[in-house]
């Protein structure tokens, strides 16, 4: 967070100087002849996350007076959360302008706001390429959809989130991928990206019925067990059910995935199907047709199963991302969407400090079930 804050303020200062001079760095214009950049002055700022070192850019005529960090001002602790929140909330250019006015009492152009927000893209690229662990016991792949305008046309774009649980039992978002069509080729590129960043093995990969993902897993990680995500399975079933029956239906579904073994789970599935088939004929079809990728779930211990069917982790991520979508109904482009998702992810994952309960016991069971791979 401190690095993000320092880089953001530094980039905003650079954008302020661009605006003041009327041209960008290394650009040759008439304005550049009358006034130009003249080095930097180092300054240490105080923030709630520690001291932040920045370099204040200077101009040759000594006319530049930064507004983001005025002269003699060193304490920025009261504004740092607002600066980061401008991006994390998915604000439009107009809304960011209003926010800056509220904080500093001055107006900025839409062009300047765009320059400022674009300068965070290299940090996102660095985050996307960061090294990963060699082995992940469990990986979830989930998708959430947003409205994005491209070439004047508004359409839906999917953001695919790769959520992993590492050897230490800690959760982490290890990948964000925007806007590709689902296919074996796409999923293979995602999994190869994880491999290129250091992942050698995934024990269990949980995902919905994503087009082509099973073939891609077999090609990239042939020893990985593909498990139909129980969270998605429940969600896909309940979308066919009216609100008044949803609680009862959800309780019946719980009898399936909490059954002690596969046979008991299958028997429960048949009972639930028979009970609701007349009223909701489409609801339970996917359980029957996908039982082969649902049933591996039953060979795991109760502690491990709880991680796989508990919705808290995935749903808390989704709800945070949806809050972004509420404040901005349409994103002006893929980059704008990516910036907002990235910063929301940074904010969410910074609070993930605890490992899963009973992780030592779960890890021991995994070591027996997947002998030689941990």
């Amino acid at each position: 967070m401190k690095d993000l804050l320092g880089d953001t303020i530094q980039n905003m200062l650079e954008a302020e100087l661009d605006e003041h001079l009327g041209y960008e760095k290394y650009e040759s214009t008439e304005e550049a002849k009358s006034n130009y950049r003249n080095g930097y002055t180092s300054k240490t700022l105080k923030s709630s996350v520690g001291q932040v070192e920045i370099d204040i850019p200077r101009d040759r005529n000594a006319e530049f007076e930064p507004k983001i960090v005025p002269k003699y001002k060193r304490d920025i602790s009261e504004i740092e959360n607002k600066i980061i929140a401008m991006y994390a909330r998915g604000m439009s250019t107009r809304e960011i302008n209003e926010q800056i006015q509220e904080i500093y009492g001055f107006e900025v152009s839409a062009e300047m706001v765009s320059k400022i927000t674009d300068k965070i893209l290299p940090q996102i690229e660095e985050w996307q390429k960061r090294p990963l662990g060699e082995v992940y016991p469990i990986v979830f792949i989930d998708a959430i959809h947003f409205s994005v305008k491209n070439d004047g046309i508004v359409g839906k774009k999917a953001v695919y989130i790769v959520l992993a649980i590492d050897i230490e039992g800690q959760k982490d978002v290890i990948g964000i991928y925007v806007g590709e069509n689902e296919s074996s080729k796409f999923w293979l590129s995602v999994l190869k990206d994880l491999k290129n960043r250091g992942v050698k093995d995934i024990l269990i990969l949980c995902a919905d019925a994503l087009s082509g993902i099973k073939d891609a897993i077999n090609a990239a990680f042939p020893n990985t067990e593909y498990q139909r995500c129980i969270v998605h399975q429940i969600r896909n079933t309940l979308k066919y059910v009216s609100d008044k029956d949803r609680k009862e239906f959800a309780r019946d579904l719980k009898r399936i995935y909490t059954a002690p073994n596969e046979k008991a789970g299958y028997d429960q599935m048949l009972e639930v199907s028979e009970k609701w088939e007349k009223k909701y004929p489409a609801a339970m079809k996917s359980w029957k047709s996908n039982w082969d990728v649902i049933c591996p779930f039953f060979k795991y211990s109760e502690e491990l199963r709880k991680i796989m069917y508990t919705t808290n982790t995935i749903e808390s991520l989704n709800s945070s991302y949806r809050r972004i979508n509420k404040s901005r109904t349409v994103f002006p482009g893929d980059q704008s969407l990516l910036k907002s998702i990235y910063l929301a992810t940074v904010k969410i994952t910074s609070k993930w400090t605890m490992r899963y309960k009973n992780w030592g016991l779960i890890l021991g069971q995994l070591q027996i079930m997947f002998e030689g791979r941990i």
Side-chain angles (χ1 to χ4, degrees), residues 157-169:
K157 279 287 180 79
V159 179
Y160 297 98
I161 309 296
V162 183
L163 171 67
I165 300 171
D166 64 18
I167 293 294
E168 302 299 323

Side-chain angles (χ1 to χ4, degrees), residues 14-37 59 63-64 111 115:
E14 298 288 353
E16 267 200 271
L17 184 58
D18 288 349
E19 189 79 4
H20 171 74
L21 295 175
Y23 66 93
E24 296 185 0
K25 206 170 187 178
Y26 308 120
E27 187 179 354
S28 179
T29 66
E30 287 299 319
E31 290 89 344
K33 296 176 183 177
S34 59
N35 196 8
Y36 51 87
R37 287 165 176 76
D59 64 325
E63 296 170 348
F64 176 56
E111 184 182 2
K115 285 180 182 178

Side-chain angles (χ1 to χ4, degrees), residues 120-177:
I120 202 169
L121 292 173
Q123 297 168 38
I124 298 175
E125 186 177 359
E126 185 179 349
W127 180 85
Q128 287 177 317
K129 293 179 178 179
R130 76 194 192 280
L132 300 174
E134 291 189 0
V135 180
Y136 287 95
I138 307 172
V139 169
F140 298 91
I141 295 180
D142 197 15
I144 187 164
H145 296 83
F146 296 91
S147 296
V148 180
K149 182 185 285 186
N150 283 310
D151 298 324
I153 300 172
V154 177
K156 287 289 185 181
K157 279 287 180 79
V159 179
Y160 297 98
I161 309 296
V162 183
L163 171 67
I165 300 171
D166 64 18
I167 293 294
E168 302 299 323
Q170 297 278 3
K171 300 171 291 186
D172 192 17
V173 175
I174 60 173
I176 298 174
Y177 304 89

